[in-house]
Amino acid sequence: MAARIIDGAAVAKKLRQKMAEQIAAQRLTPGLAVVLVGENPASQVYVRNKGRAAEEIGMKSWTHTLAAETTQAQLLDLIAKLNRDPAVHGILVQLPLPKQIDAQAVIAAIDPAKDVDGFHPINAGKLSLGLPAFVPCTPQGCMILIREAESNLSGLKALVLGRSNIVGKPVAQLLLQADCTVTIAHSRTKDLAEECRAADILVAAIGKPDFVKGGWIKPGAIVIDVGINRIDDPANPGKTRLIGDVDFAGASVKAGAITPVPGGVGPMTIACLLKNTLQAASGDMGHA
Ligand code: GUN
């Protein structure tokens, strides 16, 4: 049977509408500062979308675009200014950063109370302890979409494919808090297909187009595709298109529910960034 398609764009839209109502009703002016260093085209698109989405729901947003040659000291100076600015409730430094800049040093310089990405060691540590913290946006979005498909996750086997600090590790923490039995698989995992076949929930976050095959999916599983891979479009020579880490055609005939790319996890990442920014402006650190 064909899987239910989990419509991340629709879920994200509802979330944004709810936040817009809250901002208007409470007369809040949440402020989000987004910092982009260099000219990575994908990052430019993400940053533009984040700023636009913030303004659409009544937030203030500032985009700080810095040259690719920016030094670490210059970037740390800007962070210090944003930390001090009372109009700025959330600070996001778009990753990746140019190689002369130590991303961990930059993340650690952000005030943890303004760390709407949830990447600061304090927030990452709190998340792993089950304490209130800013939860990274993509993992938070994945959990909302998983719960759209199944509200009771207790005892389910979850496989996270990918061990990044941005997605793999935090989403594994959240699945564990939801009482799943969690496995983190990665490029060195032996017999990945077998690991996938045992999973009731599969979160693919490895950045390899069409990597997860339909035959790897347990019948009825919930499949969350975090991949955003731009490939040449065989149907339109000279054009590109976005595909996920999961072979959607193959997986969607086995899975119980699956997220599409685009229109799945992507819009949820932005909605959850706004959610964290609203929490920061309300003085609420959120709950892990
Ligand atoms: N680059 C890719 N994903 C993210 C994200 O969620 N936050 C930031 N800051 N950079 C990213």
Side-chain angles (χ1 to χ4, degrees):
M1 218 179 68
R4 176 187 157 196
I5 310 296
I6 308 172
D7 187 347
V11 177
K13 188 173 175 193
K14 251 196 235 160
L15 243 169
R16 292 197 307 269
Q17 275 166 351
K18 256 181 52 189
M19 289 187 279
E21 285 163 20
Q22 189 186 337
I23 288 167
Q26 299 182 0
R27 298 173 189 279
L28 299 168
T29 316
L32 173 66
V34 180
V35 181
L36 173 65
V37 187
E39 279 155 24
N40 179 320
S43 292
Q44 285 173 330
V45 174
Y46 295 143
V47 162
R48 198 177 319 128
N49 290 343
K50 286 168 185 177
R52 192 177 295 158
E55 307 224 332
E56 269 172 18
I57 66 162
M59 293 185 174
K60 270 195 84 70
S61 92
W62 303 269
T63 301
H64 298 266
T65 308
L66 306 181
E69 318 72 68
T70 300
T71 64
Q72 184 165 318
Q74 286 169 326
L75 180 53
L76 290 175
D77 259 3
L78 173 60
I79 305 272
K81 260 190 223 135
L82 298 173
N83 281 344
R84 286 193 301 269
D85 186 341
V88 173
H89 302 98
I91 302 170
L92 178 144
V93 179
Q94 186 66 29
L95 302 176
L97 288 166
K99 56 184 181 321
Q100 75 275 15
I101 297 176
D102 174 359
Q104 283 308 324
V106 172
I107 290 167
I110 296 171
D111 178 346
K114 297 189 177 189
D115 171 37
V116 286
D117 255 330
F119 295 164
H120 191 286
I122 296 249
N123 284 313
K126 284 183 173 174
L127 178 65
S128 77
L129 294 171
L131 297 172
F134 284 117
V135 177
C137 307
T138 301
Q140 207 183 137
C142 290
M143 293 306 293
I144 295 172
L145 296 182
I146 291 168
R147 288 199 162 98
E148 283 283 310
E150 173 61 64
S151 53
N152 182 13
L153 308 183
S154 179
L156 296 184
K157 281 193 178 182
L159 181 77
V160 177
L161 201 42
R163 54 178 157 178
S164 72
N165 293 338
I166 295 182
V167 184
K169 286 179 200 163
V171 84
Q173 294 287 356
L174 295 172
L175 287 160
L176 191 58
Q177 279 173 24
D179 297 326
C180 292
T181 301
V182 183
T183 302
I184 304 181
H186 45 78
S187 55
R188 302 294 172 92
T189 297
K190 288 187 180 139
D191 211 347
L192 204 48
E194 235 7 73
E195 295 289 347
C196 289
R197 282 188 195 106
D200 303 304
I201 299 169
L202 195 153
V203 179
I206 38 161
K208 293 186 183 168
D210 279 350
F211 182 79
V212 176
K213 307 302 173 204
W216 300 8
I217 306 294
K218 179 175 175 176
I222 300 167
V223 178
I224 305 294
D225 192 347
V226 180
I228 302 179
N229 307 291
R230 190 166 285 284
I231 60 153
D232 292 330
D233 185 354
N236 282 302
K239 294 262 163 70
T240 61
R241 70 188 187 103
L242 295 178
I243 65 168
D245 290 349
V246 178
D247 164 24
F248 185 84
S252 59
V253 293
K254 298 269 304 275
I258 188 167
T259 60
V261 177
V265 174
M268 291 302 294
T269 296
I270 296 187
C272 291
L273 169 68
L274 303 179
K275 195 160 160 273
N276 285 350
T277 305
L278 184 50
Q279 278 174 352
S282 315
D284 173 5
M285 286 283 283
H287 298 280

